[in-house]
Amino acid sequence: MTSTLDRRRQSSGMFNLKMVDVRSRAPLRLGLAGGGTDLSPYCDQFGGAVLNATIDRFAFAHLVRNTEDRIVFTASDIGGEESYASLDEINLDSGLILHKAVYRHMVETYLDGRAPPLTVSTTIDAPAGSGLGASSALVVALIEAFRAALDLPLGPYEVARLAFDIERVKLSLAGGRQDQYAAAFGGFNYIEFLPGERALVNPLRAPRAHLNEFESSLVICFSGQSRRSDTIIQEQIDGLTAMNPETVENMHQLKEDASAMKDAILRGRIREVADILLRSWAAKKRTAKGIATDSVDRLFEIAMAKGAWGGKVSGAGGGGFLMFCVDPENRYRLIQSLNAEGGQASSVKLTFDGAEAWTVPR
């Protein structure tokens, strides 16, 4: 439903180009447990639940007036740039479709179709197909930048829902619902996805000592292999639509694991968290083919042999980042071992702020 303020902006085309120089960022996330239960039709019928935590990796966006009266989209981390003379030239069939879809939505919804000459540029602190929710964080960062530039009355729930609609509905990109909410809210969250397309974000009120211990035990490792999650996700959706007993049973297990891991974090039981990671990894691999690859299996075996307590991939699988819990006294040695075997491992810090935007000082 369009608010009175939104209608007023639509009719006035309120946008001061001279003042537009806005940056934003949205955090990436580790999908700890429950991933897949945020997919339709599972969450529509049974209700989904995920546990995720945002980390010190971000998607960044920047809006600035284009002095040549062009509409320019750039993504320097992937070497992409597109330039247009008018809104009519912008298509959503290929290229930087996330940038273009957000721009089109803002112009059509809030600017009465009047397309301002802007340069919309982005970067992401992770490779494509990382499994860290990067594409959704990028959409959230773009929306947040426009929200600030247009002074729109959008809270994190509205930003997350709009990001979901643009990605999953308008662009028909396969995926679940958790990434948009993680990026918009930030922090350590237990998120429930209920029938009727309702979402409920529950921040974990864990003692800081427990969060510090969990963070100190974490190792993340890029497998060196970006993954295409769409085929994996589609196989899961097909299994759920057909009510395949094995797929549904394993999704139930993943949802139970999200609740169990939440309780373990709240109690500071990090070894128990690691055990749940292992159990979830086993269940996840049974929901679709291709979730585990040779490179993922090799790094996983190395990590376990070098003292990791447990781990899993973040995201849909098929490559991307792995995460492990390990005795903090052994974390540095585990990172060295994984890097020596061709992985790209490091420690990681939890973050507690969601998407944010700011005006560049002149």
Side-chain angles (χ1 to χ4, degrees), residues 310-324:
K312 63 183 286 289
V313 295
S314 180
F321 273 83
L322 297 86
M323 70 184 104
F324 301 101

Side-chain angles (χ1 to χ4, degrees), residues 2-3 17 21 23 68 92 96 120 125 174 186 200 298 301 332 345:
T2 305
S3 70
L17 275 176
D21 197 347
R23 298 190 196 277
E68 298 178 354
L92 303 181
L96 301 177
V120 181
D125 289 340
L200 184 60
R298 184 177 62 85
E301 290 171 3
Y332 181 73

Side-chain angles (χ1 to χ4, degrees), residues 19-35:
M19 301 301 293
V20 176
D21 197 347
V22 175
R23 298 190 196 277
S24 66
R25 70 178 190 180
L28 310 189
R29 61 98 186 103
L30 290 177
L32 298 170

Side-chain angles (χ1 to χ4, degrees), residues 268-326:
R269 297 176 178 172
I270 308 306
R271 287 298 298 262
E272 188 175 333
V273 170
D275 292 340
I276 297 169
L277 284 174
L278 283 176
R279 187 170 69 213
S280 283
W281 178 227
K284 188 177 189 69
K285 288 188 289 184
R286 292 192 293 267
T287 64
K289 299 173 184 177
I291 288 177
T293 65
D294 290 343
S295 61
V296 166
D297 283 340
R298 184 177 62 85
L299 289 170
F300 200 92
E301 290 171 3
I302 291 167
M304 297 303 293
K306 296 296 182 179
W309 291 336
K312 63 183 286 289
V313 295
S314 180
F321 273 83
L322 297 86
M323 70 184 104
F324 301 101
C325 280
V326 64

Side-chain angles (χ1 to χ4, degrees), residues 15 17 19-24 60-66 72-73 99 102-103 106 116-122 141-150 357-360 362:
F15 200 98
L17 275 176
M19 301 301 293
V20 176
D21 197 347
V22 175
R23 298 190 196 277
S24 66
F60 294 89
H62 183 204
L63 307 183
V64 67
R65 179 179 183 177
N66 184 274
V72 177
F73 306 102
H99 302 62
V102 172
Y103 179 87
M106 294 299 172
L118 293 176
T119 297
V120 181
S121 56
T122 64
L142 286 164
I143 292 171
E144 182 66 14
F146 276 101
R147 182 206 60 75
L150 292 169
W358 61 94
T359 301
V360 179
R362 294 182 178 273

Side-chain angles (χ1 to χ4, degrees), residues 218-292:
L218 272 177
V219 170
I220 63 172
C221 181
F222 184 54
S223 65
Q225 179 182 25
S226 296
R227 88 283 186 275
R228 286 290 304 271
S229 62
D230 48 357
T231 54
I232 293 172
I233 291 169
Q234 191 57 54
E235 184 177 344
Q236 292 173 328
I237 291 173
D238 290 344
L240 292 169
T241 302
M243 285 293 126
N244 178 284
E246 183 178 17
T247 304
V248 173
E249 179 184 351
N250 283 295
M251 286 294 181
H252 288 337
Q253 180 65 63
L254 292 171
K255 183 168 69 172
E256 291 174 12
D257 287 345
S259 178
M261 190 180 293
K262 175 194 68 172
D263 293 341
I265 291 288
L266 291 172
R267 291 177 171 83
R269 297 176 178 172
I270 308 306
R271 287 298 298 262
E272 188 175 333
V273 170
D275 292 340
I276 297 169
L277 284 174
L278 283 176
R279 187 170 69 213
S280 283
W281 178 227
K284 188 177 189 69
K285 288 188 289 184
R286 292 192 293 267
T287 64
K289 299 173 184 177
I291 288 177

Side-chain angles (χ1 to χ4, degrees), residues 69-90:
D69 288 334
R70 303 282 295 181
I71 305 163
V72 177
F73 306 102
T74 68
S76 56
D77 53 322
I78 59 173
E81 180 170 332
E82 301 176 28
S83 179
Y84 301 93
S86 68
L87 185 66
D88 292 337
E89 293 183 5
I90 298 174

